[in-house]
Amino acid sequence: ARNSGIVASQGEWVTFVDADDRLPDNSISTLLSVALKMSVPIVAGAVSFDSVQNNGDILLGPVRAYGSTCMLVDVHDEFEELFTANCVQSACSKLIKKSMLVDYRILFDEALSSFEDFAFVLDCLEVSSCMAVVPSVCYHYLRRSVGTGSTSYKSDIVTQMERLSNKVVSFYADVLGHPWSDDCLCHIAQFFVVAVNNIQKSILDWADVRTQMELLVDLPVFSKMLNEAKCYPNAYSRLVCQMALTRRWHIVAALATLRNSIRSRHVAK
């Protein structure tokens, strides 16, 4: 749908809003003024991660922003900081010059149903190494207690995470100039763990689950990560990767099952 929207749009700029999220008043004008002032094709605003209560009320949540003032950021130097501030994971909360998307044929990868926004933003940053950031909240991401497509079981999750990981490797090599760095491997570890967690959600029997996990660790991009990674997104990811490296599948499965259970209870609250 978003690719169709890009093609059909008639304006000079595009932005993306999920149907169940919302934009603050004047967010688009704020982003546009900064984009024009700094002459950049991409500008990102802060995101508020809010919660929708059972009665429909919205509880304002934490805000993720990069810095405290409007500024121009060089992706080569500050990609990890932008990632930590949640400025590159989502296509939402951004204003993007349509001519850049058209000229370089940038669209969402329809082979991805997880992290497709991240892949899209990486494609944009391959073209424009600078982006502007705005500290004010320009997008409200609304979390709900019910599951979404991003958390449901996906039979092709291994293929998706391999595809995404290879894109990240290419981005680090071609744009950032340091392929297979510790930071690059850390991101790949995240996608590996996403695949493990999702596999464990399946209704497959144990033999099929084990087969999928073996396929996952034997893929070149994940095999290299498991053998060379020195840092991980968190302690859980480190433990899963270490157990997968030694092929202790029952422990990997137990960890994933426990994690999924805890996450489900947390979301339900």
Side-chain angles (χ1 to χ4, degrees):
R2 288 181 293 185
N3 284 340
S4 298
I6 292 173
V7 174
S9 62
Q10 299 296 312
E12 296 182 14
W13 298 85
V14 296
T15 191
F16 303 96
V17 185
D18 288 344
D20 53 353
D21 296 335
R22 61 190 181 93
L23 296 177
D25 293 340
N26 303 318
S27 58
I28 300 300
S29 60
T30 298
L31 293 171
L32 180 59
S33 64
V34 173
L36 295 176
K37 180 180 179 179
M38 297 190 176
S39 299
V40 291
I42 311 172
V43 58
V47 179
S48 180
F49 290 86
D50 307 334
S51 299
V52 179
Q53 306 301 294
N54 291 334
N55 61 1
D57 291 343
I58 296 175
L59 179 65
L60 295 180
V63 173
R64 302 290 293 276
Y66 184 89
S68 56
T69 61
C70 297
M71 67 180 77
L72 193 63
V73 180
D74 188 328
V75 175
H76 295 100
D77 299 328
E78 302 183 61
F79 179 77
E80 299 307 327
E81 290 79 5
L82 288 168
F83 185 91
T84 300
N86 208 74
C87 288
V88 296
Q89 290 92 321
S90 174
C92 301
S93 81
K94 295 173 179 61
L95 202 62
I96 303 173
K97 190 82 169 178
K98 183 185 176 181
S99 60
M100 180 184 73
L101 302 180
V102 173
D103 292 345
Y104 292 92
R105 299 181 180 180
I106 299 174
L107 294 170
F108 287 89
D109 186 347
E110 295 184 355
L112 297 176
S113 59
S114 293
F115 294 95
E116 65 274 19
D117 280 34
F118 184 41
F120 176 81
V121 174
L122 291 185
D123 285 340
C124 292
L125 296 180
E126 285 187 13
V127 176
S128 175
S129 60
C130 287
M131 64 184 293
V133 293
V134 177
S136 57
V137 173
C138 293
Y139 195 88
H140 286 274
Y141 174 76
L142 302 183
R143 310 188 212 198
R144 290 170 169 77
S145 60
V146 295
T148 65
S150 63
T151 58
S152 59
Y153 170 68
K154 299 171 182 178
S155 60
D156 63 342
I157 192 66
V158 172
T159 301
Q160 286 197 47
M161 292 303 99
E162 178 193 24
R163 185 181 182 90
L164 181 63
S165 296
N166 284 327
K167 174 178 279 291
V168 169
V169 171
S170 296
F171 181 83
Y172 270 80
D174 300 338
V175 179
L176 302 184
H178 41 89
W180 300 110
S181 65
D182 288 345
D183 289 324
C184 178
L185 291 169
C186 185
H187 292 305
I188 296 171
Q190 176 189 0
F191 304 138
F192 176 86
V193 172
V194 167
V196 168
N197 292 337
N198 198 266
I199 289 171
Q200 193 56 30
K201 291 181 179 180
S202 74
I203 59 174
L204 302 173
D205 61 31
W206 168 244
D208 289 331
V209 168
R210 176 169 177 165
T211 297
Q212 284 205 48
M213 289 188 179
E214 288 177 339
L215 172 63
L216 184 67
V217 301
D218 286 336
L219 291 170
V221 66
F222 293 129
S223 177
K224 186 174 180 67
M225 179 277 297
L226 290 171
N227 283 282
E228 298 183 10
K230 298 177 182 177
C231 59
Y232 303 85
N234 49 51
Y236 168 75
S237 298
R238 178 191 298 273
L239 185 56
V240 168
C241 289
Q242 290 175 343
M243 293 300 100
L245 178 62
T246 55
R247 298 179 183 262
R248 300 180 185 179
W249 305 123
H250 281 90
I251 297 179
V252 172
L255 289 169
T257 300
L258 179 61
R259 177 266 180 196
N260 291 338
S261 176
I262 293 173
R263 182 177 175 84
S264 296
R265 293 177 184 177
H266 176 74
V267 170
K269 291 180 180 180

